Amino acid sequence: MSVYLVVSIVLCYIVWIKCIYCRHRRSLVTSLRHLMNGSTSSADIRALIVTAHPDDECMFFAPTILRLVELNASVHLLCLSEGNYYNQGAQRKRELVNSCAVLGIPDSRITIVDHKRLPDDPKADWSVSLVSSMIVNHMRAQSFNMVLTFDGSGVSGHANHIAIHKAVSHLASSGQVPNDCCLLSLVTVGLFRKYISFLELPFSWLLPSCLHCAIGSQGYRQARDAMFCHRTQLLWFRYLYITLSRYMFVNTFQMIPKGPKNLKIY
């Protein structure tokens, strides 16, 4: 295969991606209206992003936050630990606030939990009942109509991420979520799709999802700058993640169903 042909194929692929992105921009509002049963405009959305650690907000959810902020939705963050695994909790809290400022979330919409039973530790089994109570209390106090968090694989397989999904699923199955509040989980993809950067966009668009949030070059620069706020976490492999991870460019979500479900609570 000649170099000319390879370059032509790559250029055509990039053009295709740009076309998909332009189409996505037009359809995002329609998807949100469908999720909200057409009863609210984008500006009326009160969205809560629930994460486990400082840096989750930009490492995994940046495209969603940026797109919702762009649509004038009210975006809030609930982070369930200070990220004190290496005794850097105070510094990581400051980094989180700085990161959110880059993404468009003001200080007044950030809640960071410091609880001894919710340590930043991949080996720690967080109490699903405790996490559930914290999330539902926050939801009721702020009257959110959209909650977004991890799915059952937690994107990276981190036990703290998975505990949050279990907690939100419990709230959904036990009837503790208002009817007008939709619950969404961030889809975990395989390693190949996860690390092909913006080239993954067509896969995300073609495969079924309830919500699809993608950003262009300007949004990526914001997401990257938000990641750079987390100086304590910028080890060499983080730079590879910033460059190669599809979660820096696109998020896809599935609905967390409401209804009876067998779920172990401990």
Side-chain angles (χ1 to χ4, degrees), residues 2 8 19 26 42 52 59 64 92 127 162 185 192 217 258:
S2 68
S8 298
C19 291
R26 294 191 295 269
S42 301
M59 184 175 291
T64 302
R92 294 196 67 188
S127 166
I162 295 169
S185 60
F192 173 74
S217 57
K258 301 175 186 177

Side-chain angles (χ1 to χ4, degrees), residues 228-241:
F228 286 162
C229 291
H230 294 279
R231 293 295 176 185
T232 60
Q233 306 305 299
L234 291 180
L235 303 175
W236 67 269
F237 55 86
R238 297 289 189 204
Y239 292 95
L240 292 178
Y241 183 93

Side-chain angles (χ1 to χ4, degrees), residues 113-215:
V113 174
D114 179 21
H115 195 290
K116 63 181 181 181
R117 292 177 61 193
L118 301 178
D120 171 14
D121 188 340
K123 297 180 180 179
D125 290 326
W126 282 4
S127 166
V128 174
S129 60
L130 174 60
V131 174
S132 298
S133 65
M134 287 185 171
I135 294 173
V136 75
N137 289 339
H138 199 65
M139 289 172 59
R140 290 171 178 169
Q142 301 288 337
S143 300
F144 294 109
N145 53 18
M146 178 181 289
V147 176
L148 307 99
T149 191
F150 299 101
D151 69 1
S153 297
V155 179
S156 63
H158 199 298
N160 300 163
H161 299 177
I162 295 169
I164 296 176
H165 175 77
K166 289 181 178 179
V168 175
S169 296
H170 167 64
L171 295 175
S173 64
S174 57
Q176 299 183 59
V177 178
N179 291 331
D180 64 348
C181 182
C182 67
L183 307 175
L184 298 168
S185 60
L186 181 64
V187 174
T188 297
V189 300
L191 284 177
F192 173 74
R193 288 180 58 195
K194 185 175 181 180
Y195 291 114
I196 57 173
S197 190
F198 64 89
L199 298 176
E200 200 271 342
L201 184 58
F203 296 96
S204 294
W205 179 258
L206 294 172
L207 295 173
S209 62
C210 292
L211 184 65
H212 179 284
C213 296
I215 52 178

